[in-house]
Each structure stands twice: as structure tokens, then as C-alpha cells.
Amino acid sequence: LPACSQALAIVVYCNGRECEDSELAALDLLGMGVDPRRVSVYVGGWTAWAAAGLPREAGSRGGGP
């Protein structure tokens, strides 16, 4: 939550259209007081992002390809 308070934009996503976790996460952020103008849901999810050949990067926990 501290990182969200400093972010210019927050984009949450799931594994695809069938997953509702990103919507639930966005609602949780809004419920915790994050500015709704900064919260977005990427509807296509990770699968659409990867299928489009868009850039991906592994985080410090080793997630992602």
C-alpha cells in the first residue's frame, strides 16, 4: 500500500479475461483509499500482453519468464 500511494498509475492484471482477481484487487485498493483515477485493470491480462509480444521483465522474486 505505501508504494501505491506514491505511484502515478497502478495497473492490476490477471491471467486473462476469465480471471476476476485483478478486478477484486482493484476494488481492494479503492477500498483502502487509493485514488480511483490512478487505478486501472488490464482486462486482457498477462496472456494477452505476452501474446502481443510486449516487453516482460522478471522481478526480484523471480516471477515471469
Side-chain angles (χ1 to χ4, degrees), residues 46 49-50 52-57:
W46 182 253
W49 184 274
L54 296 168
R56 297 175 284 167
E57 182 177 318

Side-chain angles (χ1 to χ4, degrees), residues 34-57:
V34 175
D35 184 344
R37 294 172 294 181
R38 295 186 297 144
V39 178
S40 299
V41 175
Y42 184 70
V43 178
W46 182 253
T47 52
W49 184 274
L54 296 168
R56 297 175 284 167
E57 182 177 318

Side-chain angles (χ1 to χ4, degrees), residues 1-7 10 25 28-35 38-39:
L1 193 55
C4 291
S5 67
Q6 298 176 13
I10 302 160
D28 283 346
L29 289 170
L30 297 176
M32 289 185 259
V34 175
D35 184 344
R38 295 186 297 144
V39 178

Side-chain angles (χ1 to χ4, degrees), residues 7-33:
L8 297 176
I10 302 160
V11 180
V12 292
Y13 58 88
C14 276
N15 197 31
R17 291 183 178 274
E18 297 80 30
C19 179
E20 63 182 20
D21 290 346
S22 58
E23 184 177 345
L24 296 173
L27 291 171
D28 283 346
L29 289 170
L30 297 176
M32 289 185 259

